[in-house]
């Protein structure tokens, strides 16, 4: 049977976005393949090493979330990464053959750094009373620059700021801060401010928390997670594709140096969840707009009532446009076709109120969550027994991992004990 491996970092309780992005996919895969799903607690340490007080709790929460959703320890092997020390050994051996440049050029590493730097720049300017305008500008950055007079303003379009920083960041020579300064001053920001912000970026602590060996080597550990089980498929989101590519490169390099050992795994791209958060932006813990799988009935109803609707619709008998309404996006996932079409029609005619429409939705989300909640009660009541299942999974994973490691040590000509 084909082998599937995937992991999730324990960063807190799961929400509907995780369900429709990842879990749903895993549920299907576990029916067809020999699956291993693990909690990537070492990976969580790569950027959260300073806040470990919640780690155990987060792992326990993840165990409960997975099992409540129907991830099934009798079908899949479920385990915790740090329980299989062999991942660390293989990661160490891989680190010997992985050129540093592969990691430094790794797009997710760069993107994370970009985000940290950009956020800092934006927050710094906002803190100095520069107004960051969120609405899209009427013209492109280049057009704006052509006309720019350099006359001082204390506002800037967010889009220009981001675009300028993006260009400064992603160029061949490393970050081109001089060009960035020039552009921002030309767009009217005060020279002193811009210089201070850039100096802080160049010399300060921004991004330092991920300037660690562990963070840089994140994909090497991930390659070990995957290759140690000789996986055929790795279900991941789009953001993880570079890591899978790197995994394949490491496998090829290893095979070439020490003989054919690892098959090259293929990514199974998990479709992006179409579910936005209740405010219409991407669902994320940090935006505070998520509906959690562990939310109770009332909580779900409260959140749905807060959801963004068609902003043009003010009174109940105004005709609405379901296409631009977050509530309707949810209906398209949770509501049966017929009923959904009816709601769309009533909305367009202005003969259903948004509150009523939301109540219908809350009802359906609650219906969807019902079996998950029931299972959760069972799991929570006997958490010890379910943790034991993870312990068994860890043992099972370890016995396979250690077989691969014997082969690896032999292939590399290491000392045999
Ligand atoms: N990097 C993955 C993520 O953040 C988690 C992960 C760690 C993983 N090891 C893995 C995913 C191995 C697939 C296979 O989503
Ligand atoms: Fe959205 Fe429903 Fe209101 Fe129409 S009636 S705008 S679909 S919440």
């Amino acid at each position: 049977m084909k082998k599937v491996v995937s992991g999730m970092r324990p960063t807190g309780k799961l929400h509907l976005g995780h369900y429709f992005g990842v879990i749903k996919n895993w549920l299907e895969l576990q029916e067809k393949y020999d699956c291993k799903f693990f909690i990537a607690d070492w990976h969580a340490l790569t950027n959260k090493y300073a806040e470990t007080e919640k780690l155990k709790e987060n792992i326990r929460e993840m165990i409960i979330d997975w099992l409540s959703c129907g991830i099934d320890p009798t079908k899949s092997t479920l385990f915790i990464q740090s329980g299989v020390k062999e991942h660390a050994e293989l990661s160490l051996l891989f680190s010997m053959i992985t050129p540093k440049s592969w990691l430094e050029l790794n797009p997710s590493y760069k993107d994370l750094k970009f985000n940290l730097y950009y956020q800092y720049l934006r927050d710094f300017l906002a803190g100095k009373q520069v107004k960051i305008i969120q609405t899209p500008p009427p013209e492109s950055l280049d057009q704006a620059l052509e006309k720019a007079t350099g006359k001082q303003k204390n506002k800037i379009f967010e889009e220009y700021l981001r675009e300028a920083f993006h260009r400064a960041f992603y160029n061949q020579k490393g970050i081109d801060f001089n060009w960035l300064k020039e552009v921002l001053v030309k767009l009217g920001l005060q020279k002193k401010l811009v210089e201070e912000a850039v100096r802080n970026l160049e010399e300060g602590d921004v991004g330092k928390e991920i300037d660690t060996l562990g963070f840089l080597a994140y994909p090497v550990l991930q390659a070990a997670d995957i290759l140690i089980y000789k996986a055929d498929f790795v279900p991941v989101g789009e953001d993880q594709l570079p890591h899978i590519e790197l995994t394949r490169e490491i496998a090829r390099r290893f095979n070439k140096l020490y003989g054919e050992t690892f098959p090259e795994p293929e990514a199974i791209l998990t479709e992006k969840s179409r579910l936005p958060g209740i405010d219409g932006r991407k669902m994320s813990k940090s935006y505070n707009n998520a509906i959690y799988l562990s939310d109770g009935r009332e909580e779900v109803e409260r959140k749905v009532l807060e959801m963004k609707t068609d902003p043009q619709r003010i009174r109940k008998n105004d005709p609405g446009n379901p296409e631009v309404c977050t509530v309707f996006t949810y209906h398209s996932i949770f509501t049966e076709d017929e009923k959904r079409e009816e709601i769309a029609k009533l909305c367009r005619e202005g003969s259903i109120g948004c509150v009523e429409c939301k109540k219908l939705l809350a009802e359906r989300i609650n219906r969807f969550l019902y079996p998950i909640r029931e299972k959760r009660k069972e799991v929570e009541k006997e958490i010890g027994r379910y943790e034991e299942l993870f312990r068994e999974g860890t043992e099972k994973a370890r016995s396979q991992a250690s077989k691969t490691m014997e082969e690896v040590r032999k292939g590399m000509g290491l000392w045999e004990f």
Side-chain angles (χ1 to χ4, degrees), residues 124-153:
F124 176 88
L125 292 172
K128 302 283 181 187
Q129 318 296 321
V130 176
K131 184 159 184 268
I132 313 235
I133 307 168
Q134 304 285 347
T135 42
E139 52 193 359
S140 71
L141 176 63
D142 289 320
Q143 286 165 330
L145 279 175
E146 247 169 58
K147 289 190 217 150
T149 56
K151 216 166 87 198
Q152 263 191 36
K153 305 185 191 94

Side-chain angles (χ1 to χ4, degrees), residues 117-171:
Y117 274 48
Y118 177 68
Q119 236 167 46
Y120 175 81
L121 179 70
R122 199 184 49 192
D123 292 351
F124 176 88
L125 292 172
K128 302 283 181 187
Q129 318 296 321
V130 176
K131 184 159 184 268
I132 313 235
I133 307 168
Q134 304 285 347
T135 42
E139 52 193 359
S140 71
L141 176 63
D142 289 320
Q143 286 165 330
L145 279 175
E146 247 169 58
K147 289 190 217 150
T149 56
K151 216 166 87 198
Q152 263 191 36
K153 305 185 191 94
N154 60 348
K155 53 186 180 195
I156 185 167
F157 283 105
E158 161 118 49
E159 219 165 287
Y160 291 163
L161 191 61
R162 181 175 266 278
E163 171 78 29
F165 191 64
H166 198 272
R167 286 195 212 168
F169 191 89
Y170 290 99
N171 69 51

